């Protein structure tokens, strides 16, 4: 019994140190967000708009929440509390970043306006220009989602055909090698000439940016399946359709999802550039409009919104991948 306690003693000490740092990080986080609230309060004279009041009260309540976090009894049962505890160091550092941002813009005015707006000015955009931002997000999603889905299906079926059939590989592989390396945005002048509206042209560009990486990696995954699996299935009477449906395509799924992630990342860039050229709505149009009018607070606001939106879409795709490839435990986590 004494031996067991001696062996567990270092682990108990480690857990104690870990808890000590956790509690200190809550105090550091409380201090950083309280400083944000305090700095925002003293900048009210020159920044008297809704974003400043929202930042004052939200940072104050969040600082109190972090201060009380170690004393909450339901810490281990509440998902939000557990999430905050897990990322407490990030929340603490984020508070100091916003505080420093406020000091050099709204308070000390070290960085020149309007190129470097204060955080309360950026936050005020979400409150005062909510409907225009919402319309821009909806317009971009109406281009991105149909284009990505259509490009994914097109790339998947073309890639499966190239990887499965030598005849199709002979005819389509040179086309993929010739047209695939071209940036999708290079097709923009041709797309604007062929399609009647900027919407259909933008969807076409998203389809191209998604289809090529999905097709290449699907073909690579199908062609890389070991022939021994096919031999066993043929011995048991498996038809060519059975081999494709139950052996080739499931084995290629990890490669397919790599292509989907590459296509989704490429479609973000194509979407923004396409919307900057002639579109009347969308996140790309909003960026162009903000830059044209020198509204840099709007520009920073839409950049933060794009980061959250695109990160959410990638997270959804990761959820789908983890569900489909639940047998693969060594994949990249998001």
């Amino acid at each position: 019994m004494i031996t067991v306690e001696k062996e567990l003693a270092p682990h108990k000490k480690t857990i104690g140190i870990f808890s000590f740092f956790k509690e200190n990080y809550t105090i550091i986080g409380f201090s950083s967000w309280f400083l944000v609230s305090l700095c925002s309060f003293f900048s009210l004279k020159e920044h008297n708009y809704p974003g400043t009041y929202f930042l004052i009260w939200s940072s104050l309540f969040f600082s109190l929440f972090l201060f009380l976090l170690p004393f909450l009894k339901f810490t281990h049962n509440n998902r939000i509390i557990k999430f905050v505890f897990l990322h407490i160091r990030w929340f603490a550092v984020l508070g100091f970043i916003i505080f420093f941002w406020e000091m050099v813009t709204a308070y000390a005015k070290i960085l020149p306006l309007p190129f470097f707006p204060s955080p309360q000015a950026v936050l005020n955009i979400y409150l005062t220009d909510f409907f225009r931002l919402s319309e821009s997000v909806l317009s971009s999603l109406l281009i991105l989602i149909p284009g990505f889905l259509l490009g994914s299906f097109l790339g998947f079926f073309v890639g499966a055909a190239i990887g499965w059939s030598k005849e199709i590989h002979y005819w389509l592989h040179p086309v993929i090698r010739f047209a695939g390396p071209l940036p999708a945005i290079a097709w923009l002048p041709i797309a604007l000439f062929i399609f009647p509206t900027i919407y259909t042209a933008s969807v076409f560009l998203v389809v191209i940016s998604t289809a090529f990486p999905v097709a290449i990696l699907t073909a690579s995954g199908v062609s890389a399946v070991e022939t021994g699996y096919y031999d066993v299935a043929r011995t048991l009477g498996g038809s060519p359709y059975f081999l494709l449906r139950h052996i080739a395509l499931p084995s290629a799924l990890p490669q397919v999802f790599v292509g989907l992630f590459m296509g989704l990342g490429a479609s973000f860039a194509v979407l923004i550039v396409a919307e900057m050229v002639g579109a009347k709505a969308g996140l790309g149009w909003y960026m162009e409009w903000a830059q044209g009018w020198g509204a840099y607070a709007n520009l920073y606001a839409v950049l933060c919104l794009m980061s959250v939106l695109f990160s959410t879409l990638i997270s959804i795709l990761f959820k789908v991948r983890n569900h489909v490839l639940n047998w693969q435990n060594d994949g990249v986590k998001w």
Side-chain angles (χ1 to χ4, degrees), residues 86-304:
L86 183 62
H87 301 88
I88 185 64
R89 290 174 290 178
W90 270 110
F91 284 116
V93 172
L94 181 61
F96 282 114
I97 291 175
I98 297 178
F99 171 70
F100 178 77
W101 183 6
E102 277 194 287
M103 288 297 296
V104 298
T105 55
Y107 197 76
K109 299 180 181 179
I110 298 176
L111 297 179
L113 291 173
F115 305 105
F116 298 97
S118 63
Q120 48 263 55
V122 175
L123 187 60
N124 189 62
I125 300 301
Y126 296 115
L127 301 176
T128 59
D129 207 15
F130 175 79
F131 292 104
R132 185 180 298 175
L133 284 170
S134 301
E135 182 183 2
S136 299
V137 170
L138 180 61
S139 178
S140 295
L141 290 177
L142 289 176
I143 294 174
L144 180 65
I145 293 177
F148 177 73
L149 292 178
L150 184 58
S152 300
F153 283 112
L154 180 63
F156 177 75
F157 287 113
V158 171
I162 293 175
W164 180 256
S165 172
K166 293 182 179 180
E167 187 68 20
I168 297 178
H169 180 275
Y170 175 81
W171 289 105
L172 290 185
H173 188 254
V175 178
I176 297 292
R177 291 187 60 182
F178 178 74
L182 283 176
I185 201 64
W187 295 91
L188 180 60
I190 300 175
L192 293 175
F193 176 75
I194 295 176
F195 293 95
T197 62
I198 187 66
Y199 172 79
T200 53
S202 301
V203 172
F204 169 75
L205 294 176
V206 174
V207 169
I208 290 180
S209 65
T210 305
F212 279 112
V214 174
I216 293 172
L217 286 164
T218 302
S220 175
V222 171
S223 61
V225 178
E226 295 183 11
T227 57
Y229 296 136
Y230 297 136
D231 296 336
V232 173
R234 290 191 187 98
T235 303
L236 298 174
S239 63
Y241 173 76
F242 180 89
L243 301 180
L244 178 64
R245 169 67 177 82
H246 295 280
I247 297 178
L249 294 182
S251 300
L253 281 179
Q255 292 283 79
V256 173
F257 275 99
V258 174
L260 290 174
F261 285 115
M262 293 177 61
L264 185 60
S267 64
F268 294 156
V270 170
L271 171 70
I272 298 304
V273 176
E275 287 181 335
M276 286 182 171
V277 184
K280 301 300 181 182
L283 295 172
W285 168 84
Y286 192 94
M287 289 183 62
E288 186 72 13
W289 169 83
Q291 190 273 336
W293 284 94
Y296 286 92
N298 298 68
L299 186 61
Y300 284 96
V302 74
L303 285 174
C304 295

Side-chain angles (χ1 to χ4, degrees), residues 3 16 36 38 64 103 136 138 142 170 256 273 297 305 316 323 334:
T3 306
V36 171
L38 200 63
L64 293 176
M103 288 297 296
S136 299
L138 180 61
L142 289 176
Y170 175 81
V256 173
V273 176
L305 181 61
I316 293 174
H323 177 74
W334 183 258

